[in-house]
Amino acid sequence: MRTLPTEVVELVDRGDDVLVTCPSFAEEESEACIDLLTLDDPAGTNVLSVAFTQSPNDRFEMWSRNVDEPPARAGVVSVEADTRSTADTAPTLDDDPVATRGRVTIDTVPSPENLTRLGVRIVERLDEWESEHSNRRTVVCFHSLTTLLQYVSIDRAYRFLQVLAEQSTVADATTHYHLDPGAHEEETVATLVELFDVVCAYDDGWTIHE
């Protein structure tokens, strides 16, 4: 059962960028993430996570808890932000069902301030998947903008997201970004909202904006 309104599935197209504004660590945040990663049949979907505060294991375990079958391809761009717990940073995938068919890739970016390398790692993965199976849907989770903005200015983040959105459109990838609105000034949130095709905002219930 989806936590997001069913209209979201109808609104979000391939190539769209979606902003999810929800308090960090709220159950609704992870539920919305899974909803947006499973817009189509998981077996025919490539799933890429850009993770700042979660390890690759965290991402794979979240998928395994909520989805019965592995995606066609799974990848994590793991950004080594110092907000991440050091207890589980190295991937140990032997027992994870997402990794059972050898379709998992993990790329590492040593600093969240290195937006060039981060962008390159994301685009490389999207290009690889597009060239292999252009008919599959590719979905991307960026977790999160709130963490990114601890390291770079809103101006740098805005320019980076503009370029990334262009690349996602070229690769026909549906990308959603997490943001905790309580951690930012209203002006910052309003600036970021301009970049997105669809905004899913949580405040005791979901509100959807185009």
Coordinates of all heavy atoms in Angstrom, one line a residue, residues 6 16 24-25 36 54 57 81-82 86 92 99 103 108 125 133-134 142 157 162-163 178-179 183 195 199 201 208:
T6 N -2.3 8.3 -4.8 CA -2.2 7.6 -6.1 C -2.0 8.5 -7.2 O -1.4 8.1 -8.3 CB -3.5 6.7 -6.3 OG1 -4.6 7.6 -6.3 CG2 -3.6 5.6 -5.3
D16 N 11.3 13.2 -15.0 CA 10.8 14.2 -14.0 C 11.7 14.3 -12.8 O 12.3 13.3 -12.4 CB 9.4 13.9 -13.6 CG 8.4 14.5 -14.5 OD1 8.8 15.1 -15.5 OD2 7.2 14.2 -14.3
S24 N 13.2 14.7 8.6 CA 14.2 13.6 8.5 C 13.8 12.5 9.5 O 13.4 12.8 10.6 CB 15.6 14.1 8.8 OG 16.0 15.1 7.8
F25 N 14.0 11.3 9.1 CA 13.8 10.1 10.0 C 12.4 9.8 10.3 O 12.0 8.9 11.0 CB 14.6 10.3 11.3 CG 16.0 10.6 11.1 CD1 16.5 11.8 11.5 CD2 16.9 9.7 10.5 CE1 17.9 12.1 11.3 CE2 18.2 10.0 10.3 CZ 18.7 11.2 10.7
L36 N 8.4 6.1 -4.6 CA 8.9 6.8 -5.8 C 10.0 5.9 -6.5 O 10.3 6.1 -7.6 CB 9.5 8.1 -5.4 CG 8.4 9.2 -5.1 CD1 9.0 10.4 -4.4 CD2 7.6 9.6 -6.3
Q54 N 23.4 7.7 4.9 CA 23.2 6.3 5.0 C 24.3 5.5 4.2 O 24.8 6.0 3.2 CB 21.8 5.9 4.3 CG 20.6 6.6 5.1 CD 19.3 6.3 4.3 OE1 19.2 6.4 3.1 NE2 18.3 6.0 5.1
N57 N 24.7 -0.5 2.8 CA 23.9 -1.5 3.5 C 22.5 -0.9 3.9 O 21.5 -1.6 3.8 CB 24.6 -2.0 4.7 CG 25.6 -3.1 4.3 OD1 25.6 -3.6 3.2 ND2 26.5 -3.4 5.3
A81 N 30.1 11.9 3.8 CA 29.8 13.0 4.7 C 30.1 12.6 6.2 O 29.8 11.5 6.6 CB 28.4 13.5 4.5
D82 N 30.5 13.5 7.0 CA 30.9 13.2 8.4 C 29.6 13.1 9.3 O 29.7 12.8 10.4 CB 31.9 14.1 9.0 CG 31.4 15.6 9.0 OD1 30.2 15.8 8.8 OD2 32.2 16.5 9.1
T86 N 29.7 5.8 11.6 CA 30.8 5.0 11.2 C 30.6 3.5 11.5 O 31.5 2.7 11.2 CB 32.1 5.5 11.9 OG1 31.9 5.4 13.4 CG2 32.4 6.9 11.6
T92 N 28.5 -4.9 3.1 CA 28.7 -6.4 3.2 C 27.4 -7.0 2.7 O 26.4 -7.1 3.3 CB 28.8 -6.8 4.7 OG1 27.7 -6.3 5.5 CG2 30.1 -6.2 5.3
A99 N 21.6 -8.0 -3.9 CA 22.9 -8.3 -4.5 C 23.0 -9.7 -5.0 O 24.1 -10.0 -5.5 CB 23.9 -8.0 -3.4
R103 N 24.1 -7.6 -9.6 CA 23.7 -6.4 -10.4 C 23.8 -5.2 -9.5 O 23.1 -4.2 -9.7 CB 22.3 -6.6 -10.8 CG 22.1 -7.7 -11.9 CD 20.7 -7.9 -12.3 NE 19.9 -8.6 -11.3 CZ 18.7 -9.0 -11.5 NH1 18.1 -8.7 -12.6 NH2 18.0 -9.7 -10.6
T108 N 32.1 5.6 -4.8 CA 32.3 6.4 -3.6 C 32.8 7.8 -4.0 O 33.6 8.0 -4.9 CB 33.4 5.8 -2.7 OG1 32.9 4.5 -2.3 CG2 33.6 6.6 -1.5
R125 N 26.8 6.4 -14.1 CA 25.9 5.3 -13.9 C 24.6 5.4 -14.7 O 24.2 4.4 -15.3 CB 25.5 5.2 -12.4 CG 24.9 3.9 -12.0 CD 25.8 2.7 -12.2 NE 27.1 2.9 -11.6 CZ 28.2 2.5 -12.1 NH1 28.2 1.8 -13.2 NH2 29.4 2.6 -11.4
H133 N 20.2 -0.9 -21.3 CA 18.8 -1.2 -21.5 C 17.9 0.1 -21.5 O 17.4 0.5 -20.4 CB 18.3 -2.1 -20.3 CG 19.0 -3.5 -20.3 ND1 18.7 -4.5 -21.1 CD2 20.0 -3.9 -19.5 CE1 19.4 -5.5 -20.8 NE2 20.3 -5.2 -19.9
S134 N 17.8 0.7 -22.6 CA 17.1 2.0 -22.7 C 15.6 1.8 -22.4 O 15.0 2.8 -22.2 CB 17.4 2.6 -24.1 OG 16.9 1.7 -25.1
F142 N 18.0 10.9 -4.1 CA 19.0 11.7 -3.6 C 18.7 12.1 -2.2 O 17.8 12.8 -1.8 CB 19.1 13.0 -4.4 CG 20.3 13.8 -4.3 CD1 21.3 13.8 -5.2 CD2 20.5 14.7 -3.1 CE1 22.5 14.6 -5.1 CE2 21.6 15.4 -3.0 CZ 22.6 15.4 -4.0
A157 N 24.6 24.6 -4.8 CA 23.7 23.5 -4.8 C 22.6 23.7 -6.0 O 22.3 22.8 -6.7 CB 22.9 23.4 -3.5
Q162 N 20.6 22.1 -11.2 CA 20.1 22.4 -12.6 C 20.8 21.5 -13.6 O 20.1 21.0 -14.5 CB 20.5 23.9 -12.9 CG 19.5 24.9 -12.3 CD 19.9 26.3 -12.8 OE1 21.0 26.7 -12.7 NE2 18.9 27.1 -13.3
V163 N 22.1 21.4 -13.5 CA 22.9 20.5 -14.4 C 22.4 19.1 -14.3 O 22.2 18.3 -15.3 CB 24.4 20.7 -14.2 CG1 25.2 19.7 -15.0 CG2 24.8 22.1 -14.5
H178 N 15.2 14.3 -1.3 CA 14.7 14.5 0.1 C 15.2 15.9 0.7 O 16.3 16.2 0.5 CB 15.1 13.4 1.0 CG 14.5 12.1 0.6 ND1 13.3 11.6 1.2 CD2 15.0 11.1 -0.2 CE1 13.0 10.4 0.7 NE2 14.0 10.1 -0.2
L179 N 14.3 16.5 1.4 CA 14.6 17.8 2.0 C 13.8 17.9 3.3 O 12.6 17.7 3.3 CB 14.3 19.0 1.1 CG 14.5 20.4 1.7 CD1 16.0 20.7 1.6 CD2 13.7 21.4 0.9
A183 N 14.7 22.3 8.6 CA 16.1 22.5 8.8 C 16.6 23.7 8.0 O 17.8 24.1 8.0 CB 16.9 21.3 8.4
L195 N 13.0 24.3 -8.9 CA 13.7 23.4 -9.8 C 12.9 22.1 -10.2 O 13.3 21.4 -11.1 CB 15.0 22.9 -9.1 CG 16.1 24.0 -9.0 CD1 17.1 23.5 -8.0 CD2 16.7 24.3 -10.3
V199 N 6.2 18.4 -6.4 CA 6.6 18.6 -5.0 C 5.7 17.8 -4.1 O 4.4 18.0 -4.2 CB 6.7 20.0 -4.5 CG1 7.1 20.1 -3.1 CG2 7.7 20.8 -5.4
A201 N 4.8 17.3 -0.3 CA 5.1 17.9 0.9 C 4.3 17.3 2.0 O 3.1 17.1 1.9 CB 4.7 19.4 0.9
I208 N 0.3 17.5 -2.7 CA 1.1 17.4 -4.0 C 0.9 18.6 -4.8 O -0.2 19.1 -5.0 CB 0.6 16.1 -4.8 CG1 0.5 14.9 -3.9 CG2 1.5 15.9 -6.0 CD1 1.8 14.5 -3.2

